[in-house]
Amino acid sequence: MKRRTFFKQTAFSVLSTSVLSSLSAYADVSPSADNYPLQFLAIGDWGRNGADHQLHVARQMGKWATEHPNQFIISTGDNFYPAGVISEHDPLFHYSFENIYTDFSLQWDWYPILGNHDYKSDPDAQVRYSTISRRWKMPARYYSKEFSLGKDGKVLILFIDTNPMLPEFYDNPEYGPHVKGQHPEQQLEWIDQTLAAAGKDVRWKMVVGHHPMYTAGPRTTNYDTLGIRKTLEAVLEKHQVNIYLSGHDHSLQHLKSSGVTHHFISGAGSEVTPVKEGLPYSRFQAADYGFMYFSVAKDKLQVQVINHEGKVIYDTVIVPIS
């Protein structure tokens, strides 16, 4: 399929499905390895050489991960401001990453994806950096990985690249050279096939992409939000994906439309932008610096939002409906 045709057509018809997961009225205050076999942090939109509260958030991440179980960290993109990196030897890897997230508890695997700012230079330099840094794990512009819940099954996470899915980027002088030659229809087919191939032991399906489908931030009706929703929502609903995690809007959010998927935005690793109140699909929104902590068990998934002062400002548990 040609890219033009891909953008003109909706990838899948809108599906009517029963809701697989719902928001619980309770939450575990102190998740432990006994209750949750898998825990990880999520942060996005952070790379500012430590400026604009990046250092504050990094310190709280280190403190939290020291005091709580944690197996890895997810980055939701825009890893290096203002314009990505020019090579795998760019000093920004040290100024904005290695020298910022220094706590021993943050020396585990990081699974990054690419944001739009990362596309302003050489996005593949971040892929190549995986051969230099022990903790930077980006094998390709998009990839997937299964994580174990022990005897209780697995969690499947797809780390995708939403930038080539936006037609406006191809004529943009900054993004265009680096989306040129990309085939978004092939990535969408890979997403569909990877989710479809998930084994019966996969208890949770999660997709991580930079651009949100829903947001209570400034981009509620922007072309990028609406474009990603049109392209991705149907395939996520088709495969009953539990979580779509994104960044891009510089805030902390939990959103839920009428479908199966819960949407979380963790894009407050440094600069913060405003949020809107009263949107029908928004369950939580905060214009605050911070990160998220996910704790996963076979029958429940807890999300805690921690700000740059170390305060838990939101805590929720999602329980699959059998």
Side-chain angles (χ1 to χ4, degrees):
M1 181 187 296
K2 294 182 178 179
R3 189 172 67 237
R4 183 178 301 174
T5 305
F6 168 80
F7 286 130
K8 286 182 178 180
Q9 296 177 352
T10 302
F12 295 93
S13 60
V14 177
L15 302 174
S16 176
T17 60
S18 59
V19 175
L20 185 67
S21 46
S22 62
L23 187 66
S24 171
Y26 68 92
D28 295 339
V29 176
S30 300
S32 69
D34 294 333
N35 297 328
Y36 295 92
L38 180 68
Q39 294 95 357
F40 58 90
L41 304 175
I43 184 174
D45 303 82
W46 42 265
R48 296 180 187 275
N49 291 23
D52 203 349
H53 290 77
Q54 186 189 2
L55 270 174
H56 297 80
V57 175
R59 290 179 185 131
Q60 292 302 333
M61 287 174 64
K63 185 174 186 294
W64 184 273
T66 297
E67 298 172 354
H68 300 81
N70 180 62
Q71 281 80 58
F72 58 90
I73 301 100
I74 289 176
S75 172
T76 62
D78 278 0
N79 306 316
F80 300 100
Y81 290 98
V85 290
I86 60 172
S87 80
E88 62 269 39
H89 304 291
D90 195 308
L92 286 180
F93 281 112
H94 295 281
Y95 296 147
S96 282
F97 177 60
E98 302 288 0
N99 295 345
I100 302 296
Y101 304 101
T102 57
D103 197 286
F104 179 76
S105 65
L106 301 179
Q107 301 308 307
W108 312 117
D109 292 344
W110 285 60
Y111 295 99
I113 61 168
L114 297 166
N116 54 295
H117 281 268
D118 300 312
Y119 258 78
K120 292 185 176 184
S121 291
D122 181 3
D124 288 321
Q126 296 191 40
V127 175
R128 296 192 299 272
Y129 190 65
S130 300
T131 66
I132 296 175
S133 173
R134 191 218 56 78
R135 57 176 170 164
W136 188 270
K137 306 292 185 180
M138 188 192 290
R141 293 195 192 190
Y142 58 90
Y143 56 100
S144 67
K145 188 171 178 63
E146 290 184 343
F147 298 91
S148 175
L149 294 175
K151 60 182 175 56
D152 292 328
K154 299 176 181 178
V155 177
L156 172 63
I157 305 182
L158 276 62
F159 301 87
I160 68 171
D161 184 2
T162 54
N163 294 284
M165 298 179 184
L166 297 169
E168 291 83 357
F169 277 18
Y170 289 83
D171 295 325
N172 183 289
E174 291 183 299
Y175 306 137
H178 301 292
V179 292
K180 183 180 180 181
Q182 295 294 299
H183 300 281
E185 71 282 358
Q186 292 181 7
Q187 184 182 178
L188 187 62
E189 182 180 5
W190 172 84
I191 292 170
D192 185 33
Q193 292 177 349
T194 304
L195 291 172
K200 293 182 179 180
D201 58 345
V202 171
R203 303 297 182 182
W204 298 90
K205 297 175 184 177
M206 182 172 176
V207 175
V208 184
H210 181 64
H211 295 89
M213 292 183 221
Y214 294 91
T215 177
R219 299 181 173 96
T220 303
T221 57
N222 271 32
Y223 74 91
D224 44 9
T225 304
L226 299 180
I228 294 301
R229 187 190 308 174
K230 179 180 179 181
T231 299
L232 283 180
E233 186 171 38
V235 68
L236 267 58
E237 292 294 327
K238 172 186 176 182
H239 295 290
Q240 299 183 326
V241 170
N242 305 96
I243 303 290
Y244 180 68
L245 172 64
S246 63
H248 199 44
D249 267 350
H250 298 179
S251 52
L252 301 160
Q253 302 182 39
H254 176 199
L255 312 121
K256 181 68 166 58
S257 66
S258 58
V260 170
T261 306
H262 287 259
H263 299 257
F264 289 91
I265 297 177
S266 184
S270 56
E271 182 189 54
V272 163
T273 52
V275 293
K276 303 170 185 175
E277 303 285 341
L279 294 178
Y281 51 75
S282 181
R283 296 191 174 185
F284 168 79
Q285 66 283 323
D288 201 355
Y289 306 93
F291 59 96
M292 292 183 177
Y293 181 63
F294 288 77
S295 303
V296 191
K298 175 183 177 180
D299 57 353
K300 57 185 175 179
L301 185 152
Q302 181 176 9
V303 184
Q304 293 171 284
V305 179
I306 302 96
N307 72 4
H308 66 289
E309 297 177 337
K311 297 177 182 177
V312 178
I313 59 175
Y314 183 65
D315 192 337
T316 189
V317 172
I318 297 168
V319 181
I321 299 175
S322 57

